[in-house]
Amino acid sequence: MADFNEIINTRRSIRAYSDKEVEDEKIEKILRAGMQAPGSRKGSEPHEFIVVKNRDTLNKLGEIKPRAMDCNTAIVLLANIDRSFYKAVWQQDMSAVAENMLLEACNLGLGGLWNGVAPLDEVMDPISEIFDLPENVKPFCLITLGYPTEDSTNEFVDKYDPERIHYEKY
């Protein structure tokens, strides 16, 4: 297990994966990390997940989000609006879930990519159709996972830019 600073500083969007299958134990650890994310209020935890390994389903997702065809495992992050305390800010809760999951993937030696879905109806609607989601469950994003290829790895890139920091006023 890497130290937290190393994980934060090396996690990158990985788009190229080897054919090696992602182990179920690692998928469970990633899901657990997502579920540890804070909710917006009073334990509000709208998150639900669909783990996708079936090639036909990945290909269907790939027609909407092409990177789904490049992996052998994807997780669709869903928000059950009925369980969201602040109905208008469920995307904030889900963002914390997604980042926790991507950090854990890096920690486990995997690559991951956050494929945006919400708030675009033209992306959300076909994903909802693929999985026959009820009206109160909204797709938020798709995380593709896998073992990075040798030329696509998590590595440190210094992004610190003091020009973007403002104190007390802009």
mmCIF file of all heavy atoms in Angstrom, residues 40-65:
data_model
loop_
_atom_site.group_PDB
_atom_site.id
_atom_site.type_symbol
_atom_site.label_atom_id
_atom_site.label_comp_id
_atom_site.label_asym_id
_atom_site.label_seq_id
_atom_site.Cartn_x
_atom_site.Cartn_y
_atom_site.Cartn_z
ATOM 1 N N SER A 40 -23.879 14.752 1.809
ATOM 2 C CA SER A 40 -24.106 16.191 1.962
ATOM 3 C C SER A 40 -24.708 16.568 3.307
ATOM 4 O O SER A 40 -24.479 17.651 3.805
ATOM 5 C CB SER A 40 -24.984 16.720 0.830
ATOM 6 O OG SER A 40 -26.225 16.054 0.832
ATOM 7 N N ARG A 41 -25.498 15.664 3.931
ATOM 8 C CA ARG A 41 -26.120 16.022 5.191
ATOM 9 C C ARG A 41 -26.749 14.806 5.838
ATOM 10 O O ARG A 41 -27.358 13.988 5.166
ATOM 11 C CB ARG A 41 -27.180 17.091 4.933
ATOM 12 C CG ARG A 41 -28.005 17.441 6.117
ATOM 13 C CD ARG A 41 -27.858 18.864 6.517
ATOM 14 N NE ARG A 41 -28.398 18.978 7.860
ATOM 15 C CZ ARG A 41 -29.336 19.823 8.209
ATOM 16 N NH1 ARG A 41 -29.803 20.666 7.351
ATOM 17 N NH2 ARG A 41 -29.765 19.858 9.441
ATOM 18 N N LYS A 42 -26.622 14.711 7.127
ATOM 19 C CA LYS A 42 -27.307 13.683 7.923
ATOM 20 C C LYS A 42 -27.131 12.272 7.368
ATOM 21 O O LYS A 42 -28.077 11.502 7.292
ATOM 22 C CB LYS A 42 -28.790 14.017 8.042
ATOM 23 C CG LYS A 42 -29.064 15.290 8.800
ATOM 24 C CD LYS A 42 -30.550 15.513 8.938
ATOM 25 C CE LYS A 42 -30.797 16.804 9.722
ATOM 26 N NZ LYS A 42 -32.211 17.064 9.906
ATOM 27 N N GLY A 43 -25.907 11.946 6.969
ATOM 28 C CA GLY A 43 -25.661 10.609 6.467
ATOM 29 C C GLY A 43 -26.304 10.318 5.126
ATOM 30 O O GLY A 43 -26.462 9.166 4.753
ATOM 31 N N SER A 44 -26.670 11.355 4.417
ATOM 32 C CA SER A 44 -27.268 11.182 3.095
ATOM 33 C C SER A 44 -26.249 10.509 2.184
ATOM 34 O O SER A 44 -25.171 11.030 1.944
ATOM 35 C CB SER A 44 -27.654 12.552 2.539
ATOM 36 O OG SER A 44 -28.016 12.449 1.186
ATOM 37 N N GLU A 45 -26.574 9.341 1.728
ATOM 38 C CA GLU A 45 -25.666 8.577 0.878
ATOM 39 C C GLU A 45 -26.444 8.049 -0.315
ATOM 40 O O GLU A 45 -26.937 6.920 -0.304
ATOM 41 C CB GLU A 45 -25.031 7.450 1.695
ATOM 42 C CG GLU A 45 -24.178 8.001 2.825
ATOM 43 C CD GLU A 45 -23.728 6.944 3.805
ATOM 44 O OE1 GLU A 45 -24.293 5.837 3.824
ATOM 45 O OE2 GLU A 45 -22.807 7.241 4.580
ATOM 46 N N PRO A 46 -26.560 8.860 -1.367
ATOM 47 C CA PRO A 46 -27.384 8.462 -2.500
ATOM 48 C C PRO A 46 -26.730 7.445 -3.432
ATOM 49 O O PRO A 46 -27.359 6.979 -4.377
ATOM 50 C CB PRO A 46 -27.615 9.787 -3.228
ATOM 51 C CG PRO A 46 -26.393 10.595 -2.930
ATOM 52 C CD PRO A 46 -26.025 10.219 -1.512
ATOM 53 N N HIS A 47 -25.482 7.072 -3.167
ATOM 54 C CA HIS A 47 -24.732 6.260 -4.125
ATOM 55 C C HIS A 47 -25.202 4.808 -4.225
ATOM 56 O O HIS A 47 -25.542 4.173 -3.249
ATOM 57 C CB HIS A 47 -23.234 6.282 -3.799
ATOM 58 C CG HIS A 47 -22.931 6.047 -2.344
ATOM 59 N ND1 HIS A 47 -22.699 7.077 -1.477
ATOM 60 C CD2 HIS A 47 -22.826 4.914 -1.625
ATOM 61 C CE1 HIS A 47 -22.463 6.580 -0.271
ATOM 62 N NE2 HIS A 47 -22.540 5.267 -0.336
ATOM 63 N N GLU A 48 -25.204 4.353 -5.472
ATOM 64 C CA GLU A 48 -25.410 2.959 -5.833
ATOM 65 C C GLU A 48 -24.482 2.697 -7.012
ATOM 66 O O GLU A 48 -23.993 3.646 -7.643
ATOM 67 C CB GLU A 48 -26.872 2.683 -6.215
ATOM 68 C CG GLU A 48 -27.833 2.845 -5.051
ATOM 69 C CD GLU A 48 -29.257 2.413 -5.383
ATOM 70 O OE1 GLU A 48 -29.443 1.607 -6.316
ATOM 71 O OE2 GLU A 48 -30.172 2.886 -4.690
ATOM 72 N N PHE A 49 -24.231 1.422 -7.318
ATOM 73 C CA PHE A 49 -23.240 1.094 -8.343
ATOM 74 C C PHE A 49 -23.702 -0.081 -9.186
ATOM 75 O O PHE A 49 -24.384 -0.971 -8.698
ATOM 76 C CB PHE A 49 -21.910 0.709 -7.676
ATOM 77 C CG PHE A 49 -21.440 1.703 -6.653
ATOM 78 C CD1 PHE A 49 -21.796 1.548 -5.319
ATOM 79 C CD2 PHE A 49 -20.673 2.782 -7.013
ATOM 80 C CE1 PHE A 49 -21.377 2.455 -4.360
ATOM 81 C CE2 PHE A 49 -20.247 3.703 -6.069
ATOM 82 C CZ PHE A 49 -20.597 3.545 -4.747
ATOM 83 N N ILE A 50 -23.274 -0.078 -10.431
ATOM 84 C CA ILE A 50 -23.413 -1.251 -11.290
ATOM 85 C C ILE A 50 -22.007 -1.592 -11.772
ATOM 86 O O ILE A 50 -21.346 -0.769 -12.413
ATOM 87 C CB ILE A 50 -24.336 -0.992 -12.501
ATOM 88 C CG1 ILE A 50 -25.746 -0.631 -12.036
ATOM 89 C CG2 ILE A 50 -24.365 -2.219 -13.416
ATOM 90 C CD1 ILE A 50 -26.687 -0.221 -13.156
ATOM 91 N N VAL A 51 -21.539 -2.794 -11.435
ATOM 92 C CA VAL A 51 -20.241 -3.276 -11.899
ATOM 93 C C VAL A 51 -20.479 -3.998 -13.219
ATOM 94 O O VAL A 51 -21.349 -4.871 -13.309
ATOM 95 C CB VAL A 51 -19.593 -4.228 -10.873
ATOM 96 C CG1 VAL A 51 -18.266 -4.774 -11.395
ATOM 97 C CG2 VAL A 51 -19.398 -3.510 -9.531
ATOM 98 N N VAL A 52 -19.722 -3.612 -14.230
ATOM 99 C CA VAL A 52 -19.911 -4.163 -15.567
ATOM 100 C C VAL A 52 -18.624 -4.836 -16.033
ATOM 101 O O VAL A 52 -17.576 -4.184 -16.112
ATOM 102 C CB VAL A 52 -20.310 -3.064 -16.584
ATOM 103 C CG1 VAL A 52 -20.543 -3.661 -17.959
ATOM 104 C CG2 VAL A 52 -21.528 -2.297 -16.109
ATOM 105 N N LYS A 53 -18.731 -6.137 -16.337
ATOM 106 C CA LYS A 53 -17.614 -6.882 -16.914
ATOM 107 C C LYS A 53 -18.010 -7.527 -18.237
ATOM 108 O O LYS A 53 -17.153 -7.935 -19.010
ATOM 109 C CB LYS A 53 -17.135 -7.968 -15.948
ATOM 110 C CG LYS A 53 -16.441 -7.439 -14.717
ATOM 111 C CD LYS A 53 -15.903 -8.606 -13.906
ATOM 112 C CE LYS A 53 -15.001 -8.132 -12.799
ATOM 113 N NZ LYS A 53 -14.323 -9.264 -12.138
ATOM 114 N N ASN A 54 -19.289 -7.632 -18.487
ATOM 115 C CA ASN A 54 -19.799 -8.270 -19.691
ATOM 116 C C ASN A 54 -19.402 -7.454 -20.923
ATOM 117 O O ASN A 54 -19.705 -6.264 -21.010
ATOM 118 C CB ASN A 54 -21.324 -8.400 -19.583
ATOM 119 C CG ASN A 54 -21.931 -9.008 -20.814
ATOM 120 O OD1 ASN A 54 -22.151 -8.320 -21.799
ATOM 121 N ND2 ASN A 54 -22.201 -10.299 -20.747
ATOM 122 N N ARG A 55 -18.732 -8.095 -21.870
ATOM 123 C CA ARG A 55 -18.227 -7.398 -23.059
ATOM 124 C C ARG A 55 -19.352 -6.769 -23.870
ATOM 125 O O ARG A 55 -19.213 -5.645 -24.358
ATOM 126 C CB ARG A 55 -17.408 -8.370 -23.904
ATOM 127 C CG ARG A 55 -16.889 -7.827 -25.213
ATOM 128 C CD ARG A 55 -16.157 -6.480 -25.171
ATOM 129 N NE ARG A 55 -15.126 -6.365 -24.165
ATOM 130 C CZ ARG A 55 -14.635 -5.194 -23.726
ATOM 131 N NH1 ARG A 55 -15.071 -4.041 -24.211
ATOM 132 N NH2 ARG A 55 -13.707 -5.168 -22.801
ATOM 133 N N ASP A 56 -20.491 -7.421 -24.015
ATOM 134 C CA ASP A 56 -21.599 -6.846 -24.781
ATOM 135 C C ASP A 56 -22.093 -5.549 -24.126
ATOM 136 O O ASP A 56 -22.364 -4.562 -24.816
ATOM 137 C CB ASP A 56 -22.759 -7.832 -24.909
ATOM 138 C CG ASP A 56 -22.436 -9.008 -25.821
ATOM 139 O OD1 ASP A 56 -21.530 -8.876 -26.682
ATOM 140 O OD2 ASP A 56 -23.082 -10.058 -25.666
ATOM 141 N N THR A 57 -22.188 -5.561 -22.803
ATOM 142 C CA THR A 57 -22.639 -4.359 -22.091
ATOM 143 C C THR A 57 -21.593 -3.259 -22.184
ATOM 144 O O THR A 57 -21.926 -2.085 -22.390
ATOM 145 C CB THR A 57 -22.970 -4.685 -20.621
ATOM 146 O OG1 THR A 57 -23.893 -5.777 -20.591
ATOM 147 C CG2 THR A 57 -23.589 -3.489 -19.920
ATOM 148 N N LEU A 58 -20.313 -3.616 -22.040
ATOM 149 C CA LEU A 58 -19.241 -2.619 -22.194
ATOM 150 C C LEU A 58 -19.281 -2.005 -23.596
ATOM 151 O O LEU A 58 -19.086 -0.796 -23.753
ATOM 152 C CB LEU A 58 -17.873 -3.244 -21.916
ATOM 153 C CG LEU A 58 -17.589 -3.611 -20.464
ATOM 154 C CD1 LEU A 58 -16.333 -4.471 -20.358
ATOM 155 C CD2 LEU A 58 -17.469 -2.361 -19.590
ATOM 156 N N ASN A 59 -19.551 -2.813 -24.597
ATOM 157 C CA ASN A 59 -19.648 -2.285 -25.963
ATOM 158 C C ASN A 59 -20.835 -1.343 -26.118
ATOM 159 O O ASN A 59 -20.737 -0.316 -26.798
ATOM 160 C CB ASN A 59 -19.721 -3.422 -26.974
ATOM 161 C CG ASN A 59 -18.393 -4.144 -27.114
ATOM 162 O OD1 ASN A 59 -17.336 -3.619 -26.748
ATOM 163 N ND2 ASN A 59 -18.440 -5.361 -27.628
ATOM 164 N N LYS A 60 -21.971 -1.680 -25.491
ATOM 165 C CA LYS A 60 -23.130 -0.775 -25.530
ATOM 166 C C LYS A 60 -22.783 0.554 -24.858
ATOM 167 O O LYS A 60 -23.132 1.622 -25.363
ATOM 168 C CB LYS A 60 -24.333 -1.407 -24.831
ATOM 169 C CG LYS A 60 -25.014 -2.491 -25.617
ATOM 170 C CD LYS A 60 -26.185 -3.058 -24.837
ATOM 171 C CE LYS A 60 -26.751 -4.282 -25.503
ATOM 172 N NZ LYS A 60 -27.810 -4.916 -24.708
ATOM 173 N N LEU A 61 -22.120 0.467 -23.709
ATOM 174 C CA LEU A 61 -21.685 1.696 -23.035
ATOM 175 C C LEU A 61 -20.691 2.461 -23.910
ATOM 176 O O LEU A 61 -20.694 3.690 -23.940
ATOM 177 C CB LEU A 61 -21.039 1.374 -21.681
ATOM 178 C CG LEU A 61 -21.984 0.940 -20.578
ATOM 179 C CD1 LEU A 61 -21.192 0.443 -19.368
ATOM 180 C CD2 LEU A 61 -22.906 2.081 -20.172
ATOM 181 N N GLY A 62 -19.860 1.715 -24.622
ATOM 182 C CA GLY A 62 -18.866 2.325 -25.492
ATOM 183 C C GLY A 62 -19.466 3.117 -26.646
ATOM 184 O O GLY A 62 -18.828 4.019 -27.189
ATOM 185 N N GLU A 63 -20.689 2.799 -27.015
ATOM 186 C CA GLU A 63 -21.367 3.604 -28.040
ATOM 187 C C GLU A 63 -21.726 4.982 -27.497
ATOM 188 O O GLU A 63 -21.921 5.928 -28.260
ATOM 189 C CB GLU A 63 -22.623 2.875 -28.528
ATOM 190 C CG GLU A 63 -22.305 1.602 -29.284
ATOM 191 C CD GLU A 63 -23.546 0.792 -29.623
ATOM 192 O OE1 GLU A 63 -24.671 1.320 -29.490
ATOM 193 O OE2 GLU A 63 -23.378 -0.380 -30.024
ATOM 194 N N ILE A 64 -21.817 5.091 -26.181
ATOM 195 C CA ILE A 64 -22.153 6.360 -25.526
ATOM 196 C C ILE A 64 -20.881 7.037 -24.996
ATOM 197 O O ILE A 64 -20.679 8.227 -25.176
ATOM 198 C CB ILE A 64 -23.132 6.109 -24.356
ATOM 199 C CG1 ILE A 64 -24.371 5.384 -24.862
ATOM 200 C CG2 ILE A 64 -23.499 7.405 -23.660
ATOM 201 C CD1 ILE A 64 -25.145 4.678 -23.774
ATOM 202 N N LYS A 65 -20.044 6.252 -24.337
ATOM 203 C CA LYS A 65 -18.769 6.718 -23.772
ATOM 204 C C LYS A 65 -17.692 5.781 -24.324
ATOM 205 O O LYS A 65 -17.472 4.692 -23.794
ATOM 206 C CB LYS A 65 -18.787 6.674 -22.240
ATOM 207 C CG LYS A 65 -19.822 7.557 -21.573
ATOM 208 C CD LYS A 65 -19.702 9.027 -21.922
ATOM 209 C CE LYS A 65 -18.493 9.699 -21.362
ATOM 210 N NZ LYS A 65 -18.451 11.150 -21.597
#
